Amino acid sequence: MPHHPSEEEAPEGIFEKIAKDPSSSTESTASDHEDHHNEHNPGATTKASLHDIQTKGPQIPMSMDACQDDIFCFPELYPMPTDNGKSPVKLSLPLEYQQDLFSEIRSEDELVVLARGLGLLRVVTNLLHSYDAAGNNLIVIVGADERENGWIGEALAEHAAVSKSPMARGLSQVNTDAMSVGTREKLYSQGGIFSITSRILVVDLLSKLLNPETVTGLVVLHSERIIATSVEAFIVRIYRQMNKVGFLKAFSDNPEPFTTGFAPLSTMMRNLFLRKPSLWPRFHVTVAKSLEGHKKAEVIELEVPMTDNMRDIQNAILECVEASISELRKAHTGIELDDWTLDSALHKSFDVIVRRQLDPVWHRISFRTRQIVNDLSVLRSILHALLTYDAVSFNEYLDTILAAHQPPPGSTRQNQSPWLFLDAANAIFETAKRRVYTGKPPGGVLGASSETLQDSLRPVLEEQPKWALLAEVLEEIERDNYFNPVTRDDSYGTILIMCSDHGTCRQLREYLQNLHISPPQTSDEAKTESDNQNLRPSASFIMRRKLRDYLNWKKNFARVSASLFSENQKALDGFTDQRGNTAGYRGKGPPNKRRRVRGGSAAAGGGRPTNGNLQMGEDKESQVASLMADIQTTDTDALQKEEISVDSLEDMEDYFELYEMQDLVVVHPYDGDMDEHVLEELRPRYVIMYEPDAAFIRRVEVYRSSHGDRNVRVYFMYYGGSVEEQRYLSAVRWEKDAFTRLIKEKSNMAVTLTLDGAAIDDPQEQFLRTVNTRIAGGGRLAATAEPPRVVVDVREFRSSLPSLLHGRNIVVIPCMLTVGDYVLTPTVCIERKSVRDLISSFKNGRLFNQAETMLQHYKHPMLLIEFDQNKSFTLDPFADSTFEKSIKSADDSRDLQSKIVLLTLAFPRLKIIWSSSPYQTAEIFAELKNKQEEPDPIKAVQVGLNAGEDPLEQQSFNTVPQDMLRAVPGVTGKNMYRIILEVENMREVSRLTEGQLDEMVGREAGRQIHRFFNKSVFDE
């Protein structure tokens, strides 16, 4: 098997070979750690007490002698007497480590960190089924996405059918606001297993629609995402504060986030209110024993050499990445730079890590540095496209990148990325074009001069090296099945090809469908090739078709770009006819200027444009015409079937029939835990890993070890000496290092005291809150035992502020508020805005309406402007205009600070609160509530509902389409609401006739709107 983090230290070099020594798979140093001995060995169980049965469900005996090989079963003990008595519950846990893990998490609450690919969802679904079979439990799942909900629901239904559990109810999903409060309350009262989105669950828990005391247990998935300010941590705190006996189990299969920061594992355990972590890496003794037995899959490792052009492009991209990192290191010496290396730059989240480190000083760094940070993600995407796209698609992708980096028309500032000016960037574009087509000497004269090469081009159409190897592997499988038929086993004989994404799947499907179709050849070519050679697999047919599509796309792209450029240039210059002055310099610079052409051939002409930036090199029309003549459509193309996108499937039985499973070749992308479903349903005998993936390798190991009667042969393909190989090795090494650090931290970790979710009160502050000393003016000394409370709008639970308020022992009451976001006292109402939301509210005018309604109903309205805690406390990076405009008015009303000044002038009573983070906001709220009366939730909800405003203003519309509609020529603030009332969405607006628009907004405005939506981008 290709090696895992368990097997040996991954090589430190950039391009080391994948080790092939199978004996090293038993090597394990971290697994000898004392924490991994006797930790996961379940002891003998005793008779369960009534309290254990009520809180933990049925107890599981460890005697497995009577169970089947692939079924882990136990007698079920119901908390209450039933007619069925003890009935067996069958669990699909065939491997030893799965059984040990299941027994462990059933017996106690803990955080389980399992290595990727070892079947985390399988363990979770079996655990849920053991509670579901009892029939009277209420289990809540937090953190599951849509696909995982589908997996869990299907698995629970299958388990219920196998176990024949009459009381099992399966999974119920609560994932939309469309489900009414009454419906949710009825579902909760019936019990069962629920997967609830975090925002709905926290509101239901706070409003006691779902009483936390009635919940049997909480299951948290993707626990690596939980931080102190997350909604999931808020949910866990509410649950543990109100429910002391229910179980709480957290799961994760991503160990890397647990190793960043100071004492990350302890911090995570504190956020989850858990005390014990359970670590299950691939090199765990029980896991290694379960997967490295006699039932190993047959693995054939195939190293594919890259072509010379691909290697040159890869080296040039890595040179650009290294140069960009070097520029970043020079610009920021005060930031942690140890991880800013070429090796870490290959990781998919490197640019996110760099941006996170630069966020606190983002307002002080130069525009050039910000551009380099964005360029790192672009370069990494180019590196990925080199190994996955075909040569034509890759060249087209480079053209789009170059066009996207062009500055806006009329700009005098050179905004292009620095890497585009490197010699390595020139090598990238030149070599990518040579993979598609190049010049050819006329008449086959090899010694022709360079001038004669300009008149004609010939297609090269370099194929991906993996394609030919894939065809050879399929041919070998077919030959092996014919000459060496294997004895009948439980496999279906299907061939499964796994790749990284859906785009690669479409590419492979197209190649496999057309690999035996040969384009027409000339008589000279036919003489030189034998019949056997003509039958060899080839991608020339699809590559010629792709090249035709590319040349047509490039022609249309140039027309659209020219049209948009001329229109924008006229708008910027403010003249209707400037084309005579600019025509002399379009596509050609002044004679004293020279430029380097990116992506151009030797004959590429043109010069530096008026703004001094690079332009895409173009081929002459005569060259493109000669190239199109070589790849013109033939009779062979006409005979091919077109792709069917929609089929009504009428009379299916007359035209369709089912394939035999052994005849199927399935191309499927890697899809996380869903891949386990694919293996179980297809039962493939041959698996071709077109691209390496460590998690899928383990899934094949688990699949093969779980089914002794199914033979599997795996072909493991990778580009030798490529970033694909290095990325695989780095991922393996990072995971092993993460587990090693977790084991070390666990051995030295102190016991986490959770305080049951309640913070410690200051006695003095508690006394001051209890005794209200406002006795001035003849008032009385009043005493109250009520804790402070805040009425919060339910839409505010996307932020972390309600969680922090709850952490300060403030009662959070969720309500649907019409006016304001937070009501602190009967007279204080606060509208909270993040900086991004503040900018959008100014643009669409919503903030002025909100301020006006707060002034009408509250004595002390306030606007809270809250910044992100990890970003700078300044408005500089959030200015409306990203770059300097060539034409800028002296009185720029779009400036954010000037808008805030205008707001305060318009509403003098409106107070503005500036907060650097949600933590500071929670402190400000506590100060504002000090010695003040508590708000009434009922009155807060009723405020604004019966006001006498215009009904149109009371209607809530989606703000994003409103912003789009405002940008349409002819739409004004007066006629916009007429369009909103008459038309449902932007799509219908674009389809209105000019007459219909005239009736709504008038003739001139209707003409402008209709012309905007119906103008062709190809028109000059």
Side-chain angles (χ1 to χ4, degrees):
M1 230 22 193
H3 284 210
H4 310 282
S6 58
E7 298 163 2
E8 62 180 1
E9 288 287 352
E12 296 292 335
I14 281 282
F15 300 127
E16 293 291 342
K17 296 295 299 170
I18 297 179
K20 300 184 176 67
D21 183 11
S23 63
S24 62
S25 60
T26 59
E27 195 174 323
S28 174
T29 55
S31 61
D32 296 332
H33 198 282
E34 60 183 1
D35 292 331
H36 283 282
H37 284 293
N38 302 324
E39 176 187 63
H40 301 288
N41 296 332
T45 56
T46 58
K47 185 176 180 180
S49 63
L50 179 60
H51 175 73
D52 291 336
I53 294 175
Q54 289 176 344
T55 58
K56 299 178 182 178
Q59 193 178 22
I60 304 138
M62 291 300 104
S63 176
M64 299 296 158
D65 297 335
C67 296
Q68 303 175 10
D69 179 58
D70 60 342
I71 293 294
F72 179 40
C73 57
F74 58 91
E76 180 182 354
L77 304 180
Y78 291 100
M80 297 182 65
T82 60
D83 298 335
N84 297 332
K86 297 181 180 181
S87 59
V89 175
K90 297 181 179 180
L91 304 179
S92 178
L93 296 173
L95 300 180
E96 181 182 355
Y97 82 89
Q98 295 174 340
Q99 299 171 11
D100 290 353
L101 176 57
F102 177 86
S103 303
E104 183 180 305
I105 60 178
R106 279 286 305 205
S107 61
E108 55 187 325
D109 295 348
E110 61 185 14
L111 166 65
V112 176
V113 183
L114 190 66
R116 296 186 192 90
L118 295 185
L120 179 65
L121 275 187
R122 175 184 286 266
V123 177
V124 172
T125 52
N126 280 274
L127 174 68
L128 293 173
H129 173 61
S130 66
Y131 291 107
D132 188 31
N136 61 344
N137 292 317
L138 176 57
I139 313 294
V140 177
I141 304 173
V142 179
D145 57 30
E146 194 66 31
R147 296 181 310 156
E148 290 169 339
N149 286 332
W151 167 293
I152 294 173
E154 184 178 338
L156 288 177
E158 184 177 344
H159 279 301
V162 173
S163 298
K164 299 180 180 178
S165 304
M167 302 185 68
R169 302 182 182 182
L171 180 70
S172 301
Q173 296 185 41
V174 181
N175 55 6
T176 175
D177 291 328
M179 185 177 291
S180 65
V181 174
T183 305
R184 298 205 302 269
E185 187 176 13
K186 183 178 179 181
L187 284 174
Y188 297 152
S189 63
Q190 295 174 352
I193 298 179
F194 295 90
S195 178
I196 312 175
T197 56
S198 299
R199 194 171 66 87
I200 296 176
L201 178 58
V202 68
V203 173
D204 289 348
L205 289 175
L206 289 172
S207 62
K208 297 298 179 67
L209 186 67
L210 173 58
N211 190 350
E213 298 178 358
T214 63
V215 178
T216 307
L218 197 67
V219 176
V220 182
L221 302 181
H222 301 292
S223 56
E224 73 277 357
R225 303 175 184 171
I226 295 181
I227 58 176
T229 57
S230 64
V231 181
E232 290 78 12
F234 190 11
I235 292 170
V236 173
R237 188 195 312 133
I238 298 171
Y239 169 73
R240 188 47 78 202
Q241 191 173 353
M242 304 293 294
N243 190 336
K244 304 295 193 298
V245 297
F247 69 78
L248 174 59
K249 307 180 191 301
F251 299 89
S252 175
D253 59 355
N254 188 10
E256 286 87 354
F258 291 94
T259 59
T260 56
F262 175 74
L265 185 59
S266 302
T267 304
M268 185 63 67
M269 302 300 292
R270 187 165 58 251
N271 294 338
L272 291 169
F273 295 90
L274 293 173
R275 296 190 178 186
K276 180 183 177 183
S278 180
L279 308 177
W280 294 79
R282 171 61 177 81
F283 53 84
H284 189 282
V285 175
T286 310
V287 177
K289 179 182 176 183
S290 301
L291 299 183
E292 296 174 3
H294 300 291
K295 302 176 182 178
K296 284 188 176 181
E298 179 186 358
V299 180
I300 301 175
E301 190 174 301
L302 302 172
E303 178 184 350
V304 187
M306 292 192 297
T307 63
D308 294 337
N309 288 333
M310 292 177 66
R311 189 174 293 105
D312 293 341
I313 294 175
Q314 176 181 274
N315 294 336
I317 296 173
L318 293 177
E319 184 179 340
C320 293
V321 172
E322 197 166 10
S324 300
I325 295 176
S326 178
E327 288 291 327
L328 287 178
R329 295 173 70 93
K330 291 177 183 177
H332 299 281
T333 56
I335 299 178
E336 182 63 37
L337 305 175
D338 294 340
D339 294 334
W340 292 17
T341 62
L342 183 60
D343 186 19
S344 59
L346 302 178
H347 195 269
K348 62 181 179 180
S349 60
F350 176 72
D351 52 336
V352 178
I353 296 172
V354 172
R355 177 62 190 265
R356 189 183 299 125
Q357 292 183 5
L358 294 177
D359 268 340
V361 294
W362 191 255
H363 62 292
R364 294 202 302 264
I365 65 178
S366 63
F367 169 74
R368 178 185 177 88
T369 305
R370 300 182 192 183
Q371 204 168 31
I372 293 175
V373 173
N374 295 327
D375 291 342
L376 287 174
S377 60
V378 174
L379 289 169
R380 200 179 62 250
S381 66
I382 296 176
L383 204 54
H384 174 72
L386 171 66
L387 301 178
T388 55
Y389 290 7
D390 59 82
V392 179
S393 300
F394 179 71
N395 193 39
E396 180 179 346
Y397 180 61
L398 291 181
D399 286 347
T400 58
I401 288 179
L402 194 57
H405 282 74
Q406 296 295 326
S411 174
T412 58
R413 181 172 178 174
Q414 296 187 13
N415 297 328
Q416 283 195 314
S417 300
W419 70 273
L420 287 172
F421 294 92
L422 298 175
D423 292 335
N426 188 53
I428 294 173
F429 291 98
E430 290 286 350
T431 311
K433 178 167 284 190
R434 283 202 304 269
R435 296 177 66 203
V436 181
Y437 58 86
T438 186
K440 68 176 180 179
V445 181
L446 296 178
S449 63
S450 59
E451 297 180 356
T452 59
L453 293 177
Q454 300 178 4
D455 297 331
S456 60
L457 296 174
R458 65 177 180 86
V460 177
L461 301 178
E462 179 179 285
E463 299 182 11
Q464 293 291 91
K466 280 187 180 180
W467 290 354
L469 184 61
L470 177 62
E472 291 181 13
V473 169
L474 293 175
E475 185 179 353
E476 176 187 329
I477 292 173
E478 185 177 357
R479 188 167 55 248
D480 186 59
N481 283 334
Y482 182 79
F483 290 106
N484 302 308
V486 296
T487 57
R488 201 66 180 169
D489 59 6
D490 199 31
S491 298
Y492 289 151
T494 309
I495 301 174
L496 176 62
I497 303 175
M498 300 296 296
C499 48
S500 59
D501 50 33
H502 289 281
T504 310
C505 287
R506 289 192 295 269
Q507 177 195 102
L508 293 183
R509 184 187 63 182
E510 187 177 12
Y511 170 72
L512 294 176
Q513 288 175 346
N514 301 286
L515 79 167
H516 292 300
I517 301 177
S518 300
Q521 299 172 341
T522 61
S523 58
D524 296 336
E525 292 175 340
K527 292 178 182 179
T528 58
E529 295 189 3
S530 63
D531 295 338
N532 294 333
Q533 289 177 330
N534 289 336
L535 296 177
R536 71 176 185 271
S538 172
S540 58
F541 176 78
I542 61 172
M543 293 296 289
R544 290 163 66 93
R545 184 170 61 191
K546 286 179 179 292
L547 181 55
R548 284 196 300 270
D549 295 339
Y550 165 71
L551 294 175
N552 290 328
W553 168 85
K554 196 170 183 179
K555 181 179 179 181
N556 293 331
F557 181 77
R559 289 175 56 195
V560 173
S561 300
S563 175
L564 294 178
F565 176 83
S566 60
E567 184 173 340
N568 291 343
Q569 191 67 43
K570 287 188 292 184
L572 288 168
D573 293 341
F575 296 99
T576 58
D577 190 10
Q578 282 288 335
R579 300 176 66 182
N581 297 332
T582 60
Y585 291 102
R586 180 178 301 176
K588 182 165 58 174
N592 61 340
K593 299 291 185 181
R594 295 293 182 266
R595 70 183 178 91
R596 171 174 289 154
V597 180
R598 297 291 184 245
S601 64
R608 187 182 295 273
T610 55
N611 58 3
N613 287 277
L614 297 176
Q615 280 190 329
M616 202 180 337
E618 300 291 342
D619 299 305
K620 292 183 177 180
E621 292 185 4
S622 59
Q623 296 174 328
V624 177
S626 66
L627 187 60
M628 286 292 289
D630 287 344
I631 58 172
Q632 59 185 345
T633 306
T634 61
D635 296 337
T636 308
D637 296 279
L639 295 175
Q640 302 307 310
K641 296 181 179 179
E642 295 183 357
E643 288 290 332
I644 300 176
S645 57
V646 178
D647 194 334
S648 60
L649 298 181
E650 297 178 357
D651 303 327
M652 275 189 59
E653 297 180 357
D654 297 336
Y655 299 98
F656 297 95
E657 63 179 357
L658 293 176
Y659 278 110
E660 295 291 336
M661 292 300 291
Q662 63 266 21
D663 297 333
L664 282 183
V665 177
V666 179
V667 185
H668 196 274
Y670 295 121
D671 201 15
D673 285 306
M674 304 301 123
D675 295 339
E676 189 175 334
H677 258 331
V678 175
L679 292 173
E680 293 291 345
E681 292 180 3
L682 293 180
R683 299 185 187 180
R685 182 175 292 129
Y686 306 97
V687 177
I688 302 174
M689 295 181 63
Y690 188 76
E691 291 159 311
D693 184 80
F696 185 78
I697 294 174
R698 293 174 187 154
R699 297 187 209 284
V700 175
E701 283 185 320
V702 172
Y703 170 77
R704 181 66 182 90
S705 301
S706 302
H707 304 284
D709 53 348
R710 299 180 188 176
N711 296 317
V712 181
R713 181 190 296 175
V714 180
Y715 294 89
F716 183 82
M717 301 171 61
Y718 64 95
Y719 284 115
S722 68
V723 294
E724 179 182 69
E725 178 185 359
Q726 173 60 19
R727 193 180 292 121
Y728 168 77
L729 292 174
S730 298
V732 164
R733 185 175 65 252
W734 289 333
E735 186 188 67
K736 179 179 179 180
D737 292 344
F739 269 115
T740 304
R741 287 194 293 268
L742 284 175
I743 293 170
K744 185 179 296 184
E745 183 182 353
K746 178 185 175 183
S747 63
N748 300 323
M749 188 175 63
V751 176
T752 303
L753 300 178
T754 60
L755 299 175
D756 293 329
I760 300 176
D761 276 345
D762 183 3
Q764 182 180 359
E765 197 166 311
Q766 189 175 10
F767 173 77
L768 291 176
R769 190 178 68 238
T770 303
V771 179
N772 189 350
T773 58
R774 298 180 63 193
I775 59 177
R780 297 180 180 179
L781 180 66
T784 175
E786 293 182 2
R789 62 174 180 260
V790 174
V791 181
V792 182
D793 186 34
V794 294
R795 289 158 290 199
E796 279 294 305
F797 283 92
R798 295 186 180 93
S799 67
S800 59
L801 183 55
S803 175
L804 296 176
L805 293 174
H806 185 270
R808 299 179 67 90
N809 289 330
I810 297 177
V811 177
V812 177
I813 303 175
C815 296
M816 181 67 74
L817 298 181
T818 306
V819 179
D821 293 329
Y822 295 85
V823 180
L824 304 187
T825 71
T827 60
V828 176
C829 176
I830 295 180
E831 180 72 28
R832 174 190 162 275
K833 297 288 184 184
S834 64
V835 181
R836 299 291 183 189
D837 192 21
L838 180 68
I839 294 173
S840 63
S841 298
F842 271 125
K843 286 182 178 179
N844 55 33
R846 191 172 72 250
L847 183 57
F848 289 90
N849 294 332
Q850 293 170 338
E852 187 175 2
T853 54
M854 283 196 298
L855 284 167
Q856 290 178 1
H857 298 94
Y858 289 96
K859 185 178 180 180
H860 301 293
M862 300 181 184
L863 171 64
L864 169 67
I865 302 176
E866 186 180 83
F867 289 75
D868 193 335
Q869 59 180 345
N870 297 320
K871 296 185 179 180
S872 56
F873 189 28
T874 175
L875 286 174
D876 289 343
F878 304 103
D880 283 330
S881 54
T882 308
F883 307 116
E884 294 180 2
K885 304 293 184 182
S886 57
I887 301 175
K888 186 174 182 180
S889 172
D891 183 16
D892 192 356
S893 62
R894 294 171 297 178
D895 183 72
L896 182 59
Q897 296 181 12
S898 64
K899 290 178 180 178
I900 296 176
V901 173
L902 291 175
L903 181 69
T904 55
L905 291 175
F907 305 104
R909 284 175 48 206
L910 180 67
K911 304 296 189 296
I912 297 181
I913 302 174
W914 298 86
S915 175
S916 61
S917 69
Y919 290 94
Q920 187 181 12
T921 304
E923 295 179 3
I924 294 172
F925 280 15
E927 291 294 329
L928 290 174
K929 286 187 60 63
N930 191 20
K931 303 185 184 69
Q932 299 293 325
E933 296 181 8
E934 301 299 333
D936 186 354
I938 298 178
K939 291 182 179 179
V941 172
Q942 291 175 347
V943 166
L945 291 180
N946 299 322
E949 290 98 350
D950 186 1
L952 180 62
E953 297 179 357
Q954 294 296 318
Q955 297 184 13
S956 59
F957 299 104
N958 195 344
T959 58
V960 177
Q962 287 188 46
D963 295 339
M964 296 173 60
L965 192 59
R966 283 189 181 93
V968 176
V971 177
T972 63
K974 295 182 178 180
N975 60 27
M976 185 185 71
Y977 287 105
R978 178 70 184 273
I979 299 176
I980 291 175
L981 289 176
E982 296 288 341
V983 184
E984 183 175 354
N985 51 42
M986 288 293 295
R987 185 178 181 182
E988 291 189 10
V989 175
S990 65
R991 294 182 174 181
L992 292 176
T993 63
E994 190 170 351
Q996 292 173 326
L997 288 169
D998 290 348
E999 297 177 0
M1000 289 186 193
V1001 298
R1003 177 171 298 180
E1004 180 60 26
R1007 186 186 65 80
Q1008 293 182 21
I1009 297 173
H1010 184 269
R1011 182 176 179 273
F1012 173 79
F1013 283 110
N1014 293 275
K1015 181 184 177 182
S1016 174
V1017 294
F1018 296 106
D1019 296 337
E1020 288 289 341

